[in-house]
Amino acid sequence: MSWFSRDANWWFLQPGFGENARVLAWSFDRFAGKGEGNQPGRLLPAPGTFDVQSLTLADDQLATLFQVHSGEWRDELDELRAHYATFGDRLPSAIRAQLDQLAARLDARR
C-alpha cells in the first residue's frame, strides 16, 4: 500500500496519517501469522485482510492504493542488488535468497 498514491487530479488518496494505525494493525497481524500479503513482495494487504471500514474512499481509490507496480518493484530490486553488492561476501546468504525469491515472483507476474 502506498499512502503516497495520487488520483488523476494529483490529490493524495490516503485518508490521513491518523489512519496509519490500520497499517500497523495489519502488520502486527501478519507478524502473528494472521492475514495474508499480496504478491510480489507480500508487503501489501491481500484483498479482505485490511480494515477499510469507515474510510471514505471509493472502490477505485482503494484499488489504486493496493495496486502492485511490478516495474517499480523491479527498479527497487535492481537498486537493492547494487547496494548489497557493496557488502561482497559479507552479505548473508539469506538476504540474497530473499532477493532471488522476490525476482522470481516479479518474473511470474509478467
Side-chain angles (χ1 to χ4, degrees), residues 5 8-9 11 24 28 34 37 39 43 55-56 67 70 73-74 82 88 90 98-99 102-103 109-110:
S5 295
N9 296 316
W11 289 95
L24 292 173
F28 292 141
K34 305 176 222 168
Q39 297 288 344
L43 298 177
L55 291 179
T56 58
Q67 194 172 31
S70 295
W73 276 93
R74 177 57 76 183
R90 295 175 295 147
Q98 286 294 317
L99 294 176
L102 175 57
R109 290 183 62 86
R110 287 184 184 183

Side-chain angles (χ1 to χ4, degrees), residues 46-93:
T49 64
F50 191 83
D51 176 18
V52 294
Q53 289 184 356
S54 76
L55 291 179
T56 58
L57 296 172
D59 289 342
D60 62 326
Q61 291 174 312
L62 284 170
T64 299
L65 282 173
F66 293 109
Q67 194 172 31
V68 174
H69 301 280
S70 295
E72 291 175 12
W73 276 93
R74 177 57 76 183
D75 293 343
E76 184 72 20
L77 179 61
D78 293 342
E79 290 178 24
L80 283 170
R81 287 190 189 278
H83 172 69
Y84 287 149
T86 64
F87 294 96
D89 293 339
R90 295 175 295 147
L91 182 71
S93 61

